[in-house]
Amino acid sequence: MTQAPAIPRATRRQHDREIVALAVPAFGALVAEPLFVMADSAIVGHLGTAQLAGLGVATALLTTAVSVFVFLAYATTAAVSRRVGAGDLPAALRQGMDGIWLALLIGVAVIAVVLPLAPGIVHLFGASATAAPYATTYLRISTLGIPAMLTVLAATGVLRGLQNTRTPLYVAVGGFVANAVLNALLVYPAGLGIAGSAWGTVIAQWGMAAVYLLVVVRGARRHKASLRPDLAGIRASAQAGVPLLVRTLSLRAILMIVTAMAARLGDADIAAHQIVLSLWSLLAFALDAIAIAGQAIIGRYLGASDARGAREACRRMVQWGIAAGLVLGVLVVAARPLFLPLFTGDPVVRDVALPALLMVALSEPVCGIVFVLDGVLMGAGDGPYLAWAMVITLAVFTPVALLVPVLGGGLTALWAAMTLMMTVRLLTLWLRARSGKWIVTGASR
C-alpha cells in the first residue's frame, strides 16, 4: 500500500467527495444517539436522586447490551456494500433483510433473558437499595425496545451499505425529538414517573425501527427481493458477526479495565477519568464517521472487483484519518481551559485531568489511523483478523494497566497505557493493510 504510485488529483477529489458525503451525516447520527440518554437524564433528574441513580444503572446496562451487538450494523454494511458494488441490488437488499431478521431474533432472546432476571442483574451491578426498584422498573420496560434498537442497527447497516447515511441522520434526529417530547409528557403530565421515561424511549425506538423497515421494505419490493426469513442467510449473517462480536467484547473489556484501575487510584482520579473518557468518546464519534464511510466505500469497490480502487480509497482515508487526528489533537489542547470547567470546579480534579487530556491529544493522530483501518477491514469483511488483533491488544494492555495502581503512575500513566493500546492496534491493523490479504474481490468474501 505504501509503495503504490501517487493517487491522481481527480481520483483524490472523487474519494474526498465520497468520504464527506458519507461521513458528515454519519457523524450527525452517531452524536444523536447519546442524546437519548442525556434527554432521559435531564427529565428524570427532576424526579429525585434515587430515580436518577436508577436510570443511570439501567441505561448503563442497556447501552452495554446494545453496543455488544453493534456487529449487526458493521457486518451488514460490509455484505450489502459488496453486492451494491457487484451491481446486484436485489441480493444486497436480500442480505440486508437477513441481517434485520437476525436482529429481531436476538432482540426476542434478550427480552426472554432480561425480563425475569432484571432484579438480579440490577443487584449484581451494585445499585443501592433506594435506586434498585427504579432501575428494575426502567430496565424491564426498556428491554421491550431492544428488538427495535437492534433492528435500527441492522437497518442502519443496510442503508450504509447502499451508500446512504442521510436517512439514518434524519431518523436519529426525529427519534431524539420524539423521545424528548414523549418523556416530558409521560413523566410529568401523565404522572408515570421513571416508567414514563422508559415507555417514551421504547415508543421512540419502535418508531425509528418502523421508519427504517418502511425504507428497506420499499427498496426490497422495488427490486423484487424476498422479505421472508431465510435460515441460510440468517446463519451467514450470524457467522459474519461472531468475529466482530469478539472484537467488540475485547474492546469493552479494555474500557472496563481502564475504568476499574482509575477507581483504584482515588476519588479525584476516577472523577478526572470520567471527564477524560467522555471527551475521548466524543472524539471517537468524529473518527468513527470516517470509518463508517470506509466500510461502505471499500465494500463497494471490492464488490465491483476493483482492487486498485479499494487500495487507493484506503490510502486516501488513512490520510483523512491522520489529518482528522491532528486537528482533533490541536483542538483538545486549545480547548482544555474551557472544557475542564464545564465538568468540575474542583482544582484537584482539574490538575489530575489536565496531563491525561494532553496524553489524549498526543494520541489522536494514532487513533485517526486506527479508526480508519478498522473501518477498511470491516468493509472488506476481514472480521476474523480484527477479532484476533483485538484479543492480542487486550492481552498486551491488561498487564500494563494492572500495574499502574501498583507502581503509582497515576491517571496520566493509565492514559499512557491507553495510548499503548491504540499503538498496538495501529501496528496490527497497519501490517494487515500493507499485506493486501484483506483485498478479496467479488459479491461475497
Side-chain angles (χ1 to χ4, degrees), residues 33 35-41 43-44 55 59 62 138 141-146 148-149 175-176 178-184 186-187 194-209:
E33 292 173 8
L35 294 179
F36 268 72
V37 177
M38 292 179 63
D40 289 1
S41 299
I43 293 170
V44 171
L55 174 70
T59 53
L62 290 164
Y138 192 94
I141 297 172
S142 294
T143 298
L144 301 177
I146 284 182
M149 296 165 74
F176 166 72
N179 177 67
V181 171
L182 287 168
N183 270 257
L186 294 176
V187 170
I194 195 169
S197 176
W199 281 118
T201 301
V202 168
I203 294 169
Q205 288 164 346
W206 277 107
M208 293 171 65

mmCIF file of all heavy atoms in Angstrom, residues 33 35-41 43-44 55 59 62 138 141-146 148-149 175-176 178-184 186-187 194-209:
data_model
loop_
_atom_site.group_PDB
_atom_site.id
_atom_site.type_symbol
_atom_site.label_atom_id
_atom_site.label_comp_id
_atom_site.label_asym_id
_atom_site.label_seq_id
_atom_site.Cartn_x
_atom_site.Cartn_y
_atom_site.Cartn_z
ATOM 1 N N GLU A 33 -27.265 9.699 18.924
ATOM 2 C CA GLU A 33 -27.584 8.523 19.737
ATOM 3 C C GLU A 33 -27.422 8.756 21.244
ATOM 4 O O GLU A 33 -28.331 8.464 22.021
ATOM 5 C CB GLU A 33 -26.730 7.332 19.275
ATOM 6 C CG GLU A 33 -27.114 6.838 17.882
ATOM 7 C CD GLU A 33 -26.164 5.773 17.357
ATOM 8 O OE1 GLU A 33 -25.302 5.305 18.137
ATOM 9 O OE2 GLU A 33 -26.279 5.396 16.178
ATOM 10 N N LEU A 35 -27.648 11.407 22.802
ATOM 11 C CA LEU A 35 -28.587 12.432 23.254
ATOM 12 C C LEU A 35 -29.845 11.815 23.849
ATOM 13 O O LEU A 35 -30.532 12.454 24.656
ATOM 14 C CB LEU A 35 -28.949 13.361 22.091
ATOM 15 C CG LEU A 35 -27.808 14.231 21.547
ATOM 16 C CD1 LEU A 35 -28.299 15.085 20.393
ATOM 17 C CD2 LEU A 35 -27.229 15.109 22.644
ATOM 18 N N PHE A 36 -30.163 10.579 23.458
ATOM 19 C CA PHE A 36 -31.299 9.875 24.066
ATOM 20 C C PHE A 36 -31.103 9.794 25.571
ATOM 21 O O PHE A 36 -31.992 10.141 26.357
ATOM 22 C CB PHE A 36 -31.414 8.454 23.487
ATOM 23 C CG PHE A 36 -32.309 8.343 22.297
ATOM 24 C CD1 PHE A 36 -31.927 8.843 21.072
ATOM 25 C CD2 PHE A 36 -33.555 7.725 22.396
ATOM 26 C CE1 PHE A 36 -32.740 8.739 19.964
ATOM 27 C CE2 PHE A 36 -34.376 7.600 21.291
ATOM 28 C CZ PHE A 36 -33.973 8.117 20.075
ATOM 29 N N VAL A 37 -29.933 9.327 25.980
ATOM 30 C CA VAL A 37 -29.641 9.158 27.398
ATOM 31 C C VAL A 37 -29.604 10.511 28.101
ATOM 32 O O VAL A 37 -30.099 10.659 29.226
ATOM 33 C CB VAL A 37 -28.307 8.419 27.594
ATOM 34 C CG1 VAL A 37 -27.953 8.314 29.073
ATOM 35 C CG2 VAL A 37 -28.377 7.028 26.969
ATOM 36 N N MET A 38 -29.028 11.513 27.438
ATOM 37 C CA MET A 38 -28.964 12.831 28.043
ATOM 38 C C MET A 38 -30.358 13.406 28.277
ATOM 39 O O MET A 38 -30.630 14.008 29.323
ATOM 40 C CB MET A 38 -28.151 13.773 27.149
ATOM 41 C CG MET A 38 -26.677 13.438 27.068
ATOM 42 S SD MET A 38 -25.763 14.569 25.975
ATOM 43 C CE MET A 38 -26.007 16.116 26.836
ATOM 44 N N ALA A 39 -31.264 13.226 27.308
ATOM 45 C CA ALA A 39 -32.634 13.729 27.465
ATOM 46 C C ALA A 39 -33.332 13.011 28.610
ATOM 47 O O ALA A 39 -34.011 13.651 29.441
ATOM 48 C CB ALA A 39 -33.410 13.547 26.165
ATOM 49 N N ASP A 40 -33.188 11.699 28.668
ATOM 50 C CA ASP A 40 -33.796 10.934 29.759
ATOM 51 C C ASP A 40 -33.265 11.407 31.113
ATOM 52 O O ASP A 40 -34.029 11.582 32.069
ATOM 53 C CB ASP A 40 -33.504 9.441 29.592
ATOM 54 C CG ASP A 40 -34.271 8.827 28.432
ATOM 55 O OD1 ASP A 40 -35.002 9.572 27.757
ATOM 56 O OD2 ASP A 40 -34.132 7.626 28.196
ATOM 57 N N SER A 41 -31.969 11.615 31.201
ATOM 58 C CA SER A 41 -31.348 12.027 32.466
ATOM 59 C C SER A 41 -31.839 13.402 32.894
ATOM 60 O O SER A 41 -32.110 13.636 34.083
ATOM 61 C CB SER A 41 -29.822 12.039 32.328
ATOM 62 O OG SER A 41 -29.334 10.758 32.005
ATOM 63 N N ILE A 43 -34.656 14.842 32.232
ATOM 64 C CA ILE A 43 -36.070 14.811 32.642
ATOM 65 C C ILE A 43 -36.247 14.042 33.943
ATOM 66 O O ILE A 43 -36.907 14.502 34.878
ATOM 67 C CB ILE A 43 -36.929 14.202 31.514
ATOM 68 C CG1 ILE A 43 -36.925 15.137 30.296
ATOM 69 C CG2 ILE A 43 -38.357 13.954 31.994
ATOM 70 C CD1 ILE A 43 -37.524 14.548 29.055
ATOM 71 N N VAL A 44 -35.635 12.873 34.041
ATOM 72 C CA VAL A 44 -35.782 12.039 35.237
ATOM 73 C C VAL A 44 -35.070 12.660 36.428
ATOM 74 O O VAL A 44 -35.488 12.474 37.583
ATOM 75 C CB VAL A 44 -35.241 10.620 34.966
ATOM 76 C CG1 VAL A 44 -35.184 9.795 36.246
ATOM 77 C CG2 VAL A 44 -36.111 9.917 33.926
ATOM 78 N N LEU A 55 -31.928 5.260 36.928
ATOM 79 C CA LEU A 55 -31.818 5.440 35.479
ATOM 80 C C LEU A 55 -30.385 5.202 35.023
ATOM 81 O O LEU A 55 -30.158 4.555 33.989
ATOM 82 C CB LEU A 55 -32.260 6.859 35.102
ATOM 83 C CG LEU A 55 -32.076 7.239 33.629
ATOM 84 C CD1 LEU A 55 -33.056 6.467 32.755
ATOM 85 C CD2 LEU A 55 -32.255 8.744 33.433
ATOM 86 N N THR A 59 -29.594 2.399 32.241
ATOM 87 C CA THR A 59 -29.111 2.807 30.924
ATOM 88 C C THR A 59 -27.699 2.276 30.661
ATOM 89 O O THR A 59 -27.355 1.974 29.512
ATOM 90 C CB THR A 59 -29.116 4.344 30.779
ATOM 91 O OG1 THR A 59 -28.402 4.940 31.870
ATOM 92 C CG2 THR A 59 -30.533 4.874 30.749
ATOM 93 N N LEU A 62 -28.281 -1.241 29.521
ATOM 94 C CA LEU A 62 -28.874 -1.278 28.184
ATOM 95 C C LEU A 62 -27.861 -0.863 27.119
ATOM 96 O O LEU A 62 -27.775 -1.486 26.060
ATOM 97 C CB LEU A 62 -30.097 -0.365 28.137
ATOM 98 C CG LEU A 62 -31.320 -0.846 28.923
ATOM 99 C CD1 LEU A 62 -32.312 0.294 29.122
ATOM 100 C CD2 LEU A 62 -31.992 -2.005 28.208
ATOM 101 N N TYR A 138 -37.229 0.590 35.116
ATOM 102 C CA TYR A 138 -36.777 1.139 33.839
ATOM 103 C C TYR A 138 -36.208 0.045 32.946
ATOM 104 O O TYR A 138 -36.476 0.006 31.732
ATOM 105 C CB TYR A 138 -35.726 2.223 34.080
ATOM 106 C CG TYR A 138 -35.409 3.041 32.847
ATOM 107 C CD1 TYR A 138 -36.065 4.230 32.595
ATOM 108 C CD2 TYR A 138 -34.458 2.610 31.911
ATOM 109 C CE1 TYR A 138 -35.795 4.984 31.454
ATOM 110 C CE2 TYR A 138 -34.181 3.341 30.776
ATOM 111 C CZ TYR A 138 -34.850 4.533 30.563
ATOM 112 O OH TYR A 138 -34.588 5.254 29.424
ATOM 113 N N ILE A 141 -39.038 -2.304 31.400
ATOM 114 C CA ILE A 141 -39.812 -1.665 30.335
ATOM 115 C C ILE A 141 -38.937 -1.427 29.105
ATOM 116 O O ILE A 141 -39.335 -1.735 27.973
ATOM 117 C CB ILE A 141 -40.431 -0.343 30.835
ATOM 118 C CG1 ILE A 141 -41.426 -0.613 31.967
ATOM 119 C CG2 ILE A 141 -41.122 0.391 29.688
ATOM 120 C CD1 ILE A 141 -41.930 0.646 32.649
ATOM 121 N N SER A 142 -37.754 -0.895 29.320
ATOM 122 C CA SER A 142 -36.872 -0.557 28.199
ATOM 123 C C SER A 142 -36.405 -1.786 27.431
ATOM 124 O O SER A 142 -36.082 -1.695 26.245
ATOM 125 C CB SER A 142 -35.659 0.225 28.700
ATOM 126 O OG SER A 142 -36.049 1.478 29.207
ATOM 127 N N THR A 143 -36.362 -2.927 28.112
ATOM 128 C CA THR A 143 -35.976 -4.162 27.427
ATOM 129 C C THR A 143 -36.908 -4.457 26.256
ATOM 130 O O THR A 143 -36.491 -5.040 25.250
ATOM 131 C CB THR A 143 -35.995 -5.345 28.423
ATOM 132 O OG1 THR A 143 -35.033 -5.087 29.446
ATOM 133 C CG2 THR A 143 -35.637 -6.649 27.736
ATOM 134 N N LEU A 144 -38.164 -4.038 26.360
ATOM 135 C CA LEU A 144 -39.113 -4.249 25.274
ATOM 136 C C LEU A 144 -38.724 -3.489 24.010
ATOM 137 O O LEU A 144 -39.215 -3.789 22.919
ATOM 138 C CB LEU A 144 -40.520 -3.832 25.721
ATOM 139 C CG LEU A 144 -41.076 -4.568 26.946
ATOM 140 C CD1 LEU A 144 -42.439 -4.004 27.331
ATOM 141 C CD2 LEU A 144 -41.186 -6.067 26.653
ATOM 142 N N GLY A 145 -37.832 -2.510 24.149
ATOM 143 C CA GLY A 145 -37.372 -1.770 22.984
ATOM 144 C C GLY A 145 -36.099 -2.308 22.373
ATOM 145 O O GLY A 145 -35.665 -1.824 21.320
ATOM 146 N N ILE A 146 -35.504 -3.327 22.996
ATOM 147 C CA ILE A 146 -34.237 -3.851 22.466
ATOM 148 C C ILE A 146 -34.377 -4.425 21.058
ATOM 149 O O ILE A 146 -33.510 -4.174 20.197
ATOM 150 C CB ILE A 146 -33.638 -4.888 23.450
ATOM 151 C CG1 ILE A 146 -33.024 -4.147 24.646
ATOM 152 C CG2 ILE A 146 -32.580 -5.752 22.771
ATOM 153 C CD1 ILE A 146 -32.356 -5.032 25.672
ATOM 154 N N ALA A 148 -36.222 -3.370 18.762
ATOM 155 C CA ALA A 148 -36.250 -2.186 17.896
ATOM 156 C C ALA A 148 -34.860 -1.583 17.767
ATOM 157 O O ALA A 148 -34.430 -1.201 16.668
ATOM 158 C CB ALA A 148 -37.220 -1.154 18.459
ATOM 159 N N MET A 149 -34.135 -1.497 18.875
ATOM 160 C CA MET A 149 -32.794 -0.929 18.849
ATOM 161 C C MET A 149 -31.863 -1.751 17.958
ATOM 162 O O MET A 149 -31.068 -1.202 17.189
ATOM 163 C CB MET A 149 -32.238 -0.863 20.272
ATOM 164 C CG MET A 149 -33.023 0.061 21.202
ATOM 165 S SD MET A 149 -32.634 -0.200 22.960
ATOM 166 C CE MET A 149 -31.018 0.565 23.045
ATOM 167 N N GLY A 175 -35.966 10.640 15.982
ATOM 168 C CA GLY A 175 -36.118 9.787 17.156
ATOM 169 C C GLY A 175 -35.774 10.530 18.435
ATOM 170 O O GLY A 175 -36.452 10.370 19.460
ATOM 171 N N PHE A 176 -34.731 11.375 18.390
ATOM 172 C CA PHE A 176 -34.352 12.145 19.570
ATOM 173 C C PHE A 176 -35.459 13.115 19.969
ATOM 174 O O PHE A 176 -35.815 13.230 21.147
ATOM 175 C CB PHE A 176 -33.063 12.918 19.304
ATOM 176 C CG PHE A 176 -32.787 13.989 20.320
ATOM 177 C CD1 PHE A 176 -32.400 13.656 21.608
ATOM 178 C CD2 PHE A 176 -32.933 15.332 19.998
ATOM 179 C CE1 PHE A 176 -32.158 14.631 22.560
ATOM 180 C CE2 PHE A 176 -32.697 16.316 20.933
ATOM 181 C CZ PHE A 176 -32.301 15.965 22.218
ATOM 182 N N ALA A 178 -38.698 12.942 19.223
ATOM 183 C CA ALA A 178 -39.852 12.180 19.707
ATOM 184 C C ALA A 178 -39.604 11.661 21.121
ATOM 185 O O ALA A 178 -40.506 11.700 21.979
ATOM 186 C CB ALA A 178 -40.144 11.016 18.760
ATOM 187 N N ASN A 179 -38.403 11.172 21.371
ATOM 188 C CA ASN A 179 -38.066 10.656 22.692
ATOM 189 C C ASN A 179 -38.179 11.745 23.757
ATOM 190 O O ASN A 179 -38.739 11.523 24.841
ATOM 191 C CB ASN A 179 -36.642 10.096 22.671
ATOM 192 C CG ASN A 179 -36.183 9.606 24.025
ATOM 193 O OD1 ASN A 179 -36.699 8.632 24.555
ATOM 194 N ND2 ASN A 179 -35.198 10.288 24.598
ATOM 195 N N ALA A 180 -37.643 12.938 23.462
ATOM 196 C CA ALA A 180 -37.686 14.038 24.435
ATOM 197 C C ALA A 180 -39.121 14.463 24.726
ATOM 198 O O ALA A 180 -39.499 14.672 25.888
ATOM 199 C CB ALA A 180 -36.875 15.223 23.906
ATOM 200 N N VAL A 181 -39.933 14.589 23.680
ATOM 201 C CA VAL A 181 -41.324 15.020 23.868
ATOM 202 C C VAL A 181 -42.118 13.971 24.640
ATOM 203 O O VAL A 181 -42.841 14.286 25.600
ATOM 204 C CB VAL A 181 -41.989 15.301 22.500
ATOM 205 C CG1 VAL A 181 -43.491 15.540 22.672
ATOM 206 C CG2 VAL A 181 -41.331 16.500 21.832
ATOM 207 N N LEU A 182 -41.989 12.707 24.248
ATOM 208 C CA LEU A 182 -42.728 11.633 24.922
ATOM 209 C C LEU A 182 -42.311 11.507 26.380
ATOM 210 O O LEU A 182 -43.163 11.302 27.263
ATOM 211 C CB LEU A 182 -42.493 10.307 24.191
ATOM 212 C CG LEU A 182 -43.194 10.150 22.839
ATOM 213 C CD1 LEU A 182 -42.648 8.944 22.088
ATOM 214 C CD2 LEU A 182 -44.705 10.013 23.043
ATOM 215 N N ASN A 183 -41.020 11.619 26.640
ATOM 216 C CA ASN A 183 -40.544 11.539 28.023
ATOM 217 C C ASN A 183 -41.152 12.651 28.877
ATOM 218 O O ASN A 183 -41.639 12.414 29.987
ATOM 219 C CB ASN A 183 -39.019 11.617 28.066
ATOM 220 C CG ASN A 183 -38.348 10.271 27.975
ATOM 221 O OD1 ASN A 183 -37.886 9.738 28.972
ATOM 222 N ND2 ASN A 183 -38.318 9.689 26.792
ATOM 223 N N ALA A 184 -41.087 13.871 28.351
ATOM 224 C CA ALA A 184 -41.615 15.012 29.107
ATOM 225 C C ALA A 184 -43.108 14.842 29.395
ATOM 226 O O ALA A 184 -43.572 15.175 30.493
ATOM 227 C CB ALA A 184 -41.363 16.302 28.336
ATOM 228 N N LEU A 186 -44.964 11.898 29.389
ATOM 229 C CA LEU A 186 -45.323 10.706 30.167
ATOM 230 C C LEU A 186 -44.795 10.766 31.600
ATOM 231 O O LEU A 186 -45.421 10.202 32.509
ATOM 232 C CB LEU A 186 -44.796 9.450 29.466
ATOM 233 C CG LEU A 186 -45.427 9.139 28.106
ATOM 234 C CD1 LEU A 186 -44.754 7.938 27.456
ATOM 235 C CD2 LEU A 186 -46.919 8.883 28.256
ATOM 236 N N VAL A 187 -43.675 11.437 31.813
ATOM 237 C CA VAL A 187 -43.120 11.500 33.173
ATOM 238 C C VAL A 187 -43.926 12.434 34.055
ATOM 239 O O VAL A 187 -44.263 12.093 35.195
ATOM 240 C CB VAL A 187 -41.641 11.952 33.121
ATOM 241 C CG1 VAL A 187 -41.125 12.254 34.530
ATOM 242 C CG2 VAL A 187 -40.778 10.873 32.484
ATOM 243 N N ILE A 194 -40.561 7.451 36.419
ATOM 244 C CA ILE A 194 -39.474 6.839 35.649
ATOM 245 C C ILE A 194 -40.010 5.816 34.645
ATOM 246 O O ILE A 194 -39.421 5.610 33.579
ATOM 247 C CB ILE A 194 -38.438 6.195 36.590
ATOM 248 C CG1 ILE A 194 -37.149 5.901 35.808
ATOM 249 C CG2 ILE A 194 -38.992 4.937 37.258
ATOM 250 C CD1 ILE A 194 -35.984 5.509 36.688
ATOM 251 N N ALA A 195 -41.143 5.212 34.948
ATOM 252 C CA ALA A 195 -41.761 4.287 33.986
ATOM 253 C C ALA A 195 -42.173 5.036 32.721
ATOM 254 O O ALA A 195 -42.068 4.500 31.605
ATOM 255 C CB ALA A 195 -42.959 3.602 34.618
ATOM 256 N N GLY A 196 -42.627 6.280 32.876
ATOM 257 C CA GLY A 196 -42.993 7.083 31.712
ATOM 258 C C GLY A 196 -41.803 7.373 30.828
ATOM 259 O O GLY A 196 -41.907 7.362 29.592
ATOM 260 N N SER A 197 -40.646 7.609 31.456
ATOM 261 C CA SER A 197 -39.428 7.822 30.677
ATOM 262 C C SER A 197 -39.077 6.584 29.871
ATOM 263 O O SER A 197 -38.711 6.666 28.695
ATOM 264 C CB SER A 197 -38.275 8.187 31.621
ATOM 265 O OG SER A 197 -37.066 8.315 30.900
ATOM 266 N N ALA A 198 -39.203 5.419 30.500
ATOM 267 C CA ALA A 198 -38.902 4.165 29.802
ATOM 268 C C ALA A 198 -39.863 3.938 28.642
ATOM 269 O O ALA A 198 -39.446 3.578 27.534
ATOM 270 C CB ALA A 198 -38.966 3.005 30.785
ATOM 271 N N TRP A 199 -41.154 4.148 28.893
ATOM 272 C CA TRP A 199 -42.145 3.940 27.830
ATOM 273 C C TRP A 199 -41.939 4.930 26.687
ATOM 274 O O TRP A 199 -42.069 4.575 25.515
ATOM 275 C CB TRP A 199 -43.562 4.058 28.376
ATOM 276 C CG TRP A 199 -44.035 2.836 29.085
ATOM 277 C CD1 TRP A 199 -44.392 2.718 30.387
ATOM 278 C CD2 TRP A 199 -44.224 1.533 28.507
ATOM 279 N NE1 TRP A 199 -44.785 1.427 30.682
ATOM 280 C CE2 TRP A 199 -44.688 0.677 29.536
ATOM 281 C CE3 TRP A 199 -44.038 0.998 27.232
ATOM 282 C CZ2 TRP A 199 -44.965 -0.668 29.332
ATOM 283 C CZ3 TRP A 199 -44.311 -0.350 27.019
ATOM 284 C CH2 TRP A 199 -44.774 -1.167 28.055
ATOM 285 N N GLY A 200 -41.594 6.172 27.011
ATOM 286 C CA GLY A 200 -41.341 7.152 25.960
ATOM 287 C C GLY A 200 -40.193 6.735 25.068
ATOM 288 O O GLY A 200 -40.260 6.851 23.837
ATOM 289 N N THR A 201 -39.129 6.222 25.690
ATOM 290 C CA THR A 201 -37.975 5.770 24.923
ATOM 291 C C THR A 201 -38.311 4.556 24.063
ATOM 292 O O THR A 201 -37.917 4.472 22.897
ATOM 293 C CB THR A 201 -36.808 5.440 25.871
ATOM 294 O OG1 THR A 201 -36.469 6.606 26.625
ATOM 295 C CG2 THR A 201 -35.585 4.971 25.094
ATOM 296 N N VAL A 202 -39.068 3.615 24.628
ATOM 297 C CA VAL A 202 -39.459 2.417 23.873
ATOM 298 C C VAL A 202 -40.302 2.796 22.657
ATOM 299 O O VAL A 202 -40.091 2.280 21.550
ATOM 300 C CB VAL A 202 -40.230 1.435 24.786
ATOM 301 C CG1 VAL A 202 -40.888 0.335 23.953
ATOM 302 C CG2 VAL A 202 -39.285 0.820 25.804
ATOM 303 N N ILE A 203 -41.256 3.696 22.850
ATOM 304 C CA ILE A 203 -42.113 4.117 21.734
ATOM 305 C C ILE A 203 -41.279 4.786 20.648
ATOM 306 O O ILE A 203 -41.457 4.520 19.450
ATOM 307 C CB ILE A 203 -43.219 5.067 22.236
ATOM 308 C CG1 ILE A 203 -44.180 4.316 23.161
ATOM 309 C CG2 ILE A 203 -43.985 5.666 21.057
ATOM 310 C CD1 ILE A 203 -45.148 5.216 23.908
ATOM 311 N N ALA A 204 -40.348 5.662 21.055
ATOM 312 C CA ALA A 204 -39.495 6.337 20.079
ATOM 313 C C ALA A 204 -38.622 5.332 19.327
ATOM 314 O O ALA A 204 -38.429 5.446 18.106
ATOM 315 C CB ALA A 204 -38.619 7.375 20.785
ATOM 316 N N GLN A 205 -38.108 4.333 20.042
ATOM 317 C CA GLN A 205 -37.259 3.321 19.399
ATOM 318 C C GLN A 205 -38.037 2.497 18.380
ATOM 319 O O GLN A 205 -37.541 2.236 17.276
ATOM 320 C CB GLN A 205 -36.646 2.412 20.465
ATOM 321 C CG GLN A 205 -35.570 3.098 21.295
ATOM 322 C CD GLN A 205 -35.242 2.354 22.569
ATOM 323 O OE1 GLN A 205 -35.983 1.457 22.993
ATOM 324 N NE2 GLN A 205 -34.138 2.713 23.198
ATOM 325 N N TRP A 206 -39.241 2.082 18.725
ATOM 326 C CA TRP A 206 -40.053 1.332 17.775
ATOM 327 C C TRP A 206 -40.485 2.211 16.598
ATOM 328 O O TRP A 206 -40.618 1.719 15.477
ATOM 329 C CB TRP A 206 -41.263 0.708 18.468
ATOM 330 C CG TRP A 206 -40.916 -0.586 19.138
ATOM 331 C CD1 TRP A 206 -40.795 -0.828 20.464
ATOM 332 C CD2 TRP A 206 -40.623 -1.832 18.472
ATOM 333 N NE1 TRP A 206 -40.441 -2.131 20.691
ATOM 334 C CE2 TRP A 206 -40.332 -2.787 19.499
ATOM 335 C CE3 TRP A 206 -40.574 -2.241 17.146
ATOM 336 C CZ2 TRP A 206 -40.000 -4.107 19.192
ATOM 337 C CZ3 TRP A 206 -40.234 -3.560 16.847
ATOM 338 C CH2 TRP A 206 -39.960 -4.474 17.871
ATOM 339 N N GLY A 207 -40.676 3.511 16.856
ATOM 340 C CA GLY A 207 -40.984 4.419 15.748
ATOM 341 C C GLY A 207 -39.819 4.510 14.774
ATOM 342 O O GLY A 207 -40.017 4.480 13.547
ATOM 343 N N MET A 208 -38.600 4.604 15.305
ATOM 344 C CA MET A 208 -37.420 4.627 14.445
ATOM 345 C C MET A 208 -37.294 3.328 13.658
ATOM 346 O O MET A 208 -37.013 3.345 12.454
ATOM 347 C CB MET A 208 -36.167 4.839 15.296
ATOM 348 C CG MET A 208 -36.081 6.201 15.947
ATOM 349 S SD MET A 208 -34.707 6.312 17.146
ATOM 350 C CE MET A 208 -33.284 6.130 16.063
ATOM 351 N N ALA A 209 -37.496 2.202 14.340
ATOM 352 C CA ALA A 209 -37.409 0.909 13.655
ATOM 353 C C ALA A 209 -38.448 0.819 12.547
ATOM 354 O O ALA A 209 -38.167 0.289 11.453
ATOM 355 C CB ALA A 209 -37.605 -0.226 14.663
#
